[in-house]
Amino acid sequence: MIDDGKYELFVGGEFVPAEGSETITTTNPATEERLAEVPAGTAGDVDRAVATATDALDDWRLLDPAERGRLLHALADAIRDERDRLARIETLDNGKPLSQARRDVDGAARYFEYYAGVADKVQGESIPLSAEYVDYTLREPLGVTGQIIPWNLPINILGRSVAPALASGNVSVVKPAEQTPLTALEVARLADDVGFPPGVLNVVTGYGPEAGAALAGHPDLDGISFTGSVPTGREVGTAAVENITHVHLELGGKSPNVVFPDADLEAALDGTVTGIFATNAGQVCSAGSRLLVHEDVHAEFVDRLAGRAADLTVGPGIEDPDVGPLVSAEQFEKVTRYLDVGREEAGEPVVGGEALDRPGYFVEPTVFDDVANEARIAQEEIFGPVLSVIPFADETEAFELANAVDYGLVAGIFTSDVGRAHRFAREVEAGQVYVNEWFAGGVETPFGGRKRSGFGREKGLEAIDSYTTTKNVCLRIDR
Ligand code: ADP
């Protein structure tokens, strides 16, 4: 932070003024009050950051990989050392409850730690050919990469996207969301503090259609990773393809959470509440936003769920409730519009359904029951604490319903029948399957979508594939 909540861009290892004077004021979504100001970066600022990153590329990619790993490890430690401060900033900027922000910060540190360990293990293979040849592969970084980060998990997704990029020898230009730009700038500062070479990690704040579009369409970019909505993903993908830039899209979800009568229903309730209400107020691409519940336990389950939802505390993230405010006025309007759509499509919700009558963007945890799978609230990503419940009669119907949606990010099942869990895992169109716990898995487990949820994988070792390219070297050795 410079002073008085005024930030600059972070380019070439230092805070620098943007070329223009326009700024973006970020607000605290719990109070609607001004929090900080960041530059509204322009195409010119993106140009400068990409040029700076390009200058830093050769030294970084040729650095001893063990040293790259040490630097990433040091950044993980620095993030942990500032855990409380970063979590507080994230809570004030995004709205999420403080303990969830702490988890996000821990997650970001863990990404840098995990990929620190991977940095010196990005290795190729040797390929047997006939005796006159030696053949091997080199795994090389893409080069200059961009990461466009959404507002729902700012520091966490930065770690998820940037750590594997840097570990495998790429340099980065990050464009955080205009609603939540602060922790990206803080992490860039920490990277400099721990000794990253200038230009390896740059952050350009700004509006999506301006700074984001300039980054996505930059001709000197070798790879772009985008996490966000489908329409914006389509634009980013199109811009990248214009330049034949390697692109990775992690888009939305409308993920099925399937509950069978043989499940541990208490665990299923925990998973349902965590999956749609008690994680970032449902503003998560992998939220369990469609609850498919077997008709034998439907009434009991929905009744207990309504009780659990009604008991959740809703308030400013800084007071660490279960559910914080939505991120912005725009998101608040979108979610409250869906409450109206839900009433038209499914009648009165069994719990919730109202915005809180106070400053800030608070919406009650809401459950619509007996929703038709074709309904908009069962098909469209709401990105808020709004759950659609769809009953089913048997396994065949459950699996069909689970897939009857455009998205395919994650899917969850609660059952004690191991065979059924595996059948579901095989049949469901999703990039990740949770069995008996929503959000099971971690930094180590590959993550990404199918269908409209995108393509490419982040997390785990697979993320390294997303950030490297294979070069085959074939030698004729008998001449
Ligand atoms: P939302 O609509 O919920 O804000 P977006 O998918 O539009 O979600 O935003 C995710 C990220 O994409 C943010 O960093 C945003 O600034 C950026 N963005 C928005 N529009 C564009 C665009 N046209 N090109 C590139 N990035 C964009």
Side-chain angles (χ1 to χ4, degrees), residues 183-255:
T183 46
L185 292 162
E186 296 285 346
V187 170
R189 173 184 61 79
L190 289 175
D192 184 59
D193 286 355
V194 302
F196 273 65
V200 167
L201 174 56
N202 308 278
V203 177
V204 178
T205 56
Y207 291 108
E210 188 155 11
L215 186 60
H218 203 288
D220 297 336
L221 212 62
D222 301 298
I224 180 99
S225 160
F226 170 81
T227 306
S229 63
V230 175
T232 307
R234 192 175 284 123
E235 285 184 41
V236 168
T238 305
V241 167
E242 284 289 330
N243 294 313
I244 324 291
T245 298
H246 186 105
V247 62
H248 169 150
L249 301 176
E250 202 266 89
L251 309 177
K254 191 75 182 178
S255 299

Side-chain angles (χ1 to χ4, degrees), residues 260 262-263 395 413-424 435-436:
F260 280 88
D262 60 11
E395 186 178 298
I413 187 168
F414 287 86
T415 181
S416 55
D417 180 336
V418 175
R420 172 181 284 147
H422 284 294
R423 284 193 294 279
F424 180 70
V435 178
N436 292 332

Side-chain angles (χ1 to χ4, degrees), residues 93-106:
D93 206 10
N94 164 281
K96 66 180 61 196
L98 206 46
S99 53
Q100 295 176 28
R102 285 196 198 104
R103 274 207 298 277
D104 289 0
V105 174
D106 291 344

Side-chain angles (χ1 to χ4, degrees), residues 338-348 368-380 382 388:
Y338 272 110
L339 295 177
D340 295 339
V341 172
R343 283 193 167 87
E344 279 164 30
E345 292 181 325
E348 272 306 299
F368 287 104
D369 195 11
D370 286 316
V371 178
N373 190 53
E374 303 70 39
R376 287 182 59 197
I377 58 165
Q379 292 289 321
E380 297 174 15
I382 298 173
S388 297

Side-chain angles (χ1 to χ4, degrees), residues 247-313:
V247 62
H248 169 150
L249 301 176
E250 202 266 89
L251 309 177
K254 191 75 182 178
S255 299
N257 169 17
V258 188
V259 177
F260 280 88
D262 60 11
D264 173 341
L265 291 186
E266 201 53 32
L269 280 167
D270 287 347
T272 305
V273 168
T274 305
I276 187 66
F277 300 134
T279 306
N280 212 16
Q283 302 167 111
V284 196
C285 46
S286 49
S289 49
R290 302 160 73 222
L291 173 66
L292 311 186
V293 57
H294 192 280
E295 59 190 18
D296 287 355
V297 287
H298 169 220
E300 178 201 341
F301 195 81
V302 171
D303 191 50
R304 286 168 66 182
L305 177 63
R308 294 277 294 264
D311 283 347
L312 295 171
T313 52

